[in-house]
Amino acid sequence: MRGGGPTLLWRALLTAALVCAIGLLPWLSRTDPALTVLKARSAERDPTPQALAAVRHQLGLSEGPLPLLGHWLGGLLHGDGGRSWVSGSEVLPSAVQALGVSLTLMAGAVAVAVCTAAAVCARTLWLGSRRRFGTRRRGGTGSAVLAALPEFLVASVLASVIGVQFGWLPALGWYGPPWMILPSLALGLPAGAVLGRLLDDLLPGAFAEPWAPAAAARGVPQSSVARKALRRCIPGLLPNLGLFVVSLTGGAVAVEQIFDIPGLGQLTLRAALAQDLPVLQTGTLTLVLLAAIAGALARLTARLLIGPALRDGALHSLHPPAPPARSILPLLYGALLAAVIALGLPRDPLALDPAAGLQAPSPAHPFGTDALGRDILARVAHGALTTLGIALAVSAAALVTGLLLGLLPRLSGPVADTINAVPPVLAGLLVTGLAGSGPWTPAITVAVGAWTPLATHTSALLQQERATTHLTATRALGATEWYLLTRELLPAVLPPVVRHALLRLPGIALNLAALSFLGLGAQPPSPEWGLLLAENQPYAEPAPWAVLAPAAVLALLGALAVTAAGGVRIPRLRRPPSSHPTAPTDRPRGTAQTVPEPPHTHVLTPPGSQRSRQDGLR
């Protein structure tokens, strides 16, 4: 917890900058805030000059953004968040009520996510506790498909099928526990699949540590071994879990829209679209405070779980014992995705045929047609060029940024928490106001927050890797910080972070799809995948193929990314055995400090050699 004062100051500065940017939003968007507020109050009222002047006078817009921000901050210090520009009601009670709804929904989603993550890594726990990793094969196709499904698509399917067609659970409103089941499933299933994959990636390294075979040899119950392995791996994921908790609170905008839940995400969405600054500023400040609390609790819990080993440098590296067996699944999924794109590229994605609207799949239209008679296969194939290209570019930028900022946790931690707390629709509006509206605006919006989980993961792994015994020994022998970073830390951290970035690749495409679903991404007639899902979502019941086709291709991308991520292994930089590795130090010329190989493995010598060595000592 060293450096807490500067970190708190840095976090306060970031929060103040975000609140000021929100206060400037009507002026950044280059629109008349009086006109926007007037339309939000009554869409039928004519925007006459007299009406607009009355709104400006009532809200004090003629004074400019800075006096308005000062009045709001002054009232907030006295427990008054102001009044809504649209409804005229007090902001703070409505924000507290919306926060309570969002926290309840978040609790249900976290419970679903934990159960999903447990199901994803159950096989690894079973094999590891029984020392049977020799028979383990990398799978994860089901979890990859689940992680790649958009939350708004899962919510739409659950609402239309389970809520409307079968009538098993209520699909609209928020009146009690039954109403939170479907939205909790929609939010928790994809998040749990991602967390489960990250945990499944760390567990083999935990079971390969010396304590695991020693516990098995002493007859420790297998369930106890599995619990201790979980305790060893969970601290590295707790910071990411904190990010998930905040995103499930303020980032659940699309799900709250579909199920008509009066949560904080829907409150900020409506306030952002109506430019209702008091509501928007109060809601965003609430999310930022929640992010700070969740991040602090996650880091504190991680320290408590690891215990004094983190302080004393007594940890072992969580390296997998061996690379996974080769699999043809990435080649199979890649071939299927390439075949879909190749079959659809010769077709025209913009050809209209209203008479053939919503036709079922047939030899002429293998994926069917949409409401305007356009071929869905053609639109999916042409949209892949845009969606995959942007997703790959954003993923690469997020990986590099996350690795670099993850090396500076005191700098990047507060930034990641603050950015993660901003709802996607608000981030899109801010980016649009600063960078303008263009084809790259959605990509910039997604890239602004895509690096945060990778930086958080890098910082958590580096914290544990710095406390390992071999690093302590290498540092004691005179290794410089640059030597430790390039030869020990980065080779240990890069593989899991790169696999995490590949796992996030479908999520990047999902975020682009979510922006299109909310109307901030690609615009018609673009065949971008998110726009395809948004356009065809109203026809999910009479023509399910219109939604299932792009969703299936998106899930195929997720399966390809996850199965390919299982094979990412970056070898450590080692010198040839004939030369002794040396670590450059600041010693005078003519002296050298030899740094032996870190004790990752123990070499067993034959009994005869040990006996002869003992005879020589005698």
Side-chain angles (χ1 to χ4, degrees), residues 391-589:
L392 287 173
V394 172
S395 298
L399 174 60
V400 175
T401 306
L403 284 172
L404 293 178
L405 293 181
L407 300 176
L408 305 170
R410 295 181 186 175
L411 173 67
S412 63
V415 179
D417 293 341
T418 304
I419 292 179
N420 185 68
V422 179
V425 61
L426 179 56
L429 292 176
L430 289 174
V431 171
T432 303
L434 294 174
S437 179
W440 286 99
T441 301
I444 297 174
T445 303
V446 175
V448 166
W451 61 270
T452 56
L454 300 178
T456 303
H457 195 192
T458 301
S459 300
L461 294 179
L462 275 177
Q463 183 188 34
Q464 297 190 41
E465 193 68 24
R466 289 181 184 276
T468 54
T469 53
H470 72 87
L471 198 75
T472 303
T474 308
R475 183 185 292 110
L477 291 173
T480 62
E481 290 297 328
W482 178 253
Y483 180 92
L484 295 175
L485 178 65
T486 57
R487 299 297 183 91
E488 300 295 338
L489 294 176
L490 285 181
V493 171
L494 271 178
V497 176
V498 172
R499 291 194 294 271
H500 188 182
L502 285 175
L503 184 63
R504 291 279 178 179
L505 176 60
I508 300 296
L510 294 185
N511 292 333
L512 295 170
L515 287 176
S516 299
F517 182 81
L518 295 172
L520 297 176
Q523 300 299 320
S526 172
E528 195 266 336
W529 286 357
L531 186 59
L532 293 183
L533 292 170
E535 290 177 340
N536 296 321
Q537 190 266 338
Y539 310 101
E541 186 174 353
W545 56 85
V547 175
L548 292 179
V553 179
L554 195 58
L556 184 62
L557 172 64
L560 172 62
V562 171
T563 53
V568 175
R569 293 293 182 270
I570 299 177
R572 288 172 169 266
L573 298 175
R574 296 299 181 204
R575 295 181 181 270
S578 58
S579 62
H580 297 284
T582 58
T585 61
D586 297 331
R587 293 171 172 268
R589 182 175 297 180

Side-chain angles (χ1 to χ4, degrees), residues 193-296:
V194 174
L195 287 175
R197 291 298 307 177
L198 294 178
L199 182 60
D200 190 70
D201 186 58
L202 294 176
L203 281 173
F207 285 118
E209 290 183 342
W211 66 265
R218 293 180 61 88
V220 176
Q222 297 168 351
S223 59
S224 180
V225 175
R227 286 196 301 270
K228 293 183 181 301
L230 282 175
R231 179 174 178 175
R232 177 66 181 90
C233 297
I234 284 178
L237 297 181
L238 278 176
N240 269 284
L241 181 60
L243 295 181
F244 269 115
V245 166
V246 179
S247 63
L248 291 176
T249 305
V253 180
V255 174
E256 291 184 359
Q257 281 286 97
I258 292 173
F259 290 102
D260 194 21
I261 299 174
L264 204 56
Q266 190 180 54
L267 182 69
T268 54
L269 171 63
R270 293 178 177 177
L273 297 179
Q275 295 186 358
D276 192 351
L277 289 187
V279 177
L280 186 58
Q281 290 169 331
T282 304
T284 305
L285 184 60
T286 303
L287 288 173
V288 171
L289 294 178
L290 178 63
I293 295 173

Side-chain angles (χ1 to χ4, degrees), residues 105 151-152 154-160 163 170-174 179 181-187 253-262 266:
L105 178 59
E151 295 173 349
F152 63 86
V154 177
S156 300
V157 172
L158 291 176
S160 60
L172 291 175
W174 186 264
W179 278 264
I181 296 178
L182 292 183
S184 297
L185 290 173
L187 290 171
V253 180
V255 174
E256 291 184 359
Q257 281 286 97
I258 292 173
F259 290 102
D260 194 21
I261 299 174
Q266 190 180 54

